Amino acid sequence: MQVDVLNANELKKSAPVFGQLSFDNHEQVVFCNDKDTGLKAIIGIHNTVLGPALGGTRMWNYSSEWEALNDVLRLSRGMTFKSAITGLNLGGGKAVIIGDAKTQKTPELMKSFGRFVDSLSGKYITAEDVGMETADMDTVREVTKYVTGISEDKGGAGNPSPITAYGVFMGIKAAAKHKFGSDDLEGKSVLVQGIGHVGETLVEHLTQDGAKVFISDINEERLEAVKNKYGAIIYDDADVYAAEVDIYAPCALGATINDDTVNRIEAKVIAGAANNQLADEVTHGTILRERGIVYAPDFLINAGGIINVYAELENYDKKEIIRKTENIYNTTLEILSKADKEDMTSHFAALKIAQQRIDDRKKQNLK
């Protein structure tokens, strides 16, 4: 069985799509442009062996189209493994809209994007991600049925962020169990980097479990609000990676574990909500393992959101959503134990299990 991993240093701009390692045999990449609304978007469909490619839409003010393309390729690939490791009958897809969500997002732009999604006839199903709200998914729903994460009063599962945060919390407890021998977080110090919708809810869970929570974010107003609401401590040192805490929970954008930071990290456990936390899956995953730092694979522990929106497709209730999300705890323990037993990184151990499920289904489909 072959499992490909990303080496960020191998990415070259000379072949913008097929030549990128992040392309990783994507089935389809769709470039969307609408002059009237200003829409510039890219939809990445990585793999549909297990089912339609479901993944959120991110609106971000990328510095270049190259950056946007690389992001959607990495994110959609991650969704393939996220669904596979979680046991969902879904493939991997993702979309990015290039622009400032605060100033450039309009109902017309979202409807235009929705029409592009609709043109794929269900091969890609969209949902909420960074820069998006549940109301935006409701707008997309006006022009296509291939959208999840719509409002509960419209028959959807609602905002996936609380379930995402709960899944990350389950992953943190499992990683703590593996590293410290107990999943009791009473007195454990946790640094949450990024306190958006998911990060704030994670702070709430950690605080309720007795952890000493530090918070870091570029938005000072958010820091003060979360501090006052939960009693969290604002981490005001410039170097969050050198923080002497038990657990580091990256919950903002990805690639925070990179050449510059990987050897500065003092935490004993890394477990957070951000996607693609390892800038280089091979190099940085190996360094963490050699340093004795437990890394809970991001695409596993942040899968609560897709579990939540998958309920809209399979028609299961909140009780089943919670049950499936709580199982992230067991799967995380399984992955970490497998990594130790087989002397490999936890990220690679998770990829192997996910890829095996995809390969098995592919064989079934060929019969």
Side-chain angles (χ1 to χ4, degrees), residues 49-50 89 356-367:
V49 171
L50 295 175
N89 293 319
Q356 187 63 60
R357 181 166 181 252
I358 295 169
D359 292 345
D360 290 346
R361 179 65 63 83
K362 184 181 290 187
K363 290 177 183 177
Q364 292 177 11
N365 292 345
L366 291 174
K367 291 181 178 179

Side-chain angles (χ1 to χ4, degrees), residues 178-195:
H178 185 82
K179 181 65 178 179
F180 306 120
S182 171
D183 63 10
D184 184 2
L185 299 179
E186 181 75 38
K188 288 286 186 292
S189 54
V190 185
L191 172 60
V192 179
Q193 181 187 31
I195 47 172

Side-chain angles (χ1 to χ4, degrees), residues 76-131:
S76 53
R77 174 182 181 270
M79 292 304 298
T80 292
F81 297 119
K82 183 180 300 189
S83 292
I85 196 71
T86 313
L88 306 180
N89 293 319
L90 292 171
K94 206 79 173 184
V96 298
I97 298 175
I98 302 171
D100 188 331
K102 294 180 180 179
T103 61
Q104 295 177 280
K105 184 171 60 178
T106 64
E108 291 74 24
L109 182 141
M110 294 310 303
K111 288 179 183 178
S112 177
F113 173 72
R115 284 188 280 270
F116 278 105
V117 172
D118 195 65
S119 71
L120 294 170
S121 303
K123 189 173 184 179
Y124 169 67
I125 302 171
T126 196
E128 178 184 333
D129 199 81
V130 175

Side-chain angles (χ1 to χ4, degrees), residues 262-281:
V262 68
N263 286 304
R264 303 209 313 269
I265 294 172
E266 293 294 329
K268 301 172 184 67
V269 169
I270 299 175
N275 288 306
N276 299 320
Q277 293 168 26
L278 302 175
D280 186 310
E281 296 173 0

Side-chain angles (χ1 to χ4, degrees), residues 192-196 215-220 222-223 235 240 252:
V192 179
Q193 181 187 31
I195 47 172
I215 52 176
S216 173
D217 198 282
I218 59 175
N219 188 325
E220 293 186 5
R222 287 285 299 162
L223 284 172
Y235 187 81
V240 298

Side-chain angles (χ1 to χ4, degrees), residues 166-167 169-178 182-184 300-301 323-336:
Y166 187 55
F169 177 61
M170 289 291 102
I172 288 175
K173 288 179 73 69
K177 171 77 172 176
H178 185 82
S182 171
D183 63 10
D184 184 2
L300 166 60
I301 72 169
R323 188 195 70 78
K324 288 180 179 292
T325 304
E326 288 179 340
N327 194 52
I328 288 174
Y329 178 96
N330 298 321
T331 307
T332 303
L333 282 178
E334 176 189 348
I335 295 298
L336 295 177

Side-chain angles (χ1 to χ4, degrees), residues 58 130 164-165 168-169 172 190-203 206 216-217 248-254 256 270-275 277 301-302:
R58 171 174 296 186
V130 175
T164 302
V168 173
F169 177 61
I172 288 175
V190 185
L191 172 60
V192 179
Q193 181 187 31
I195 47 172
H197 296 314
V198 175
E200 179 182 346
T201 306
L202 178 59
V203 169
L206 292 168
S216 173
D217 198 282
Y248 163 51
C251 295
L253 296 180
T256 58
I270 299 175
N275 288 306
Q277 293 168 26
I301 72 169
N302 68 11

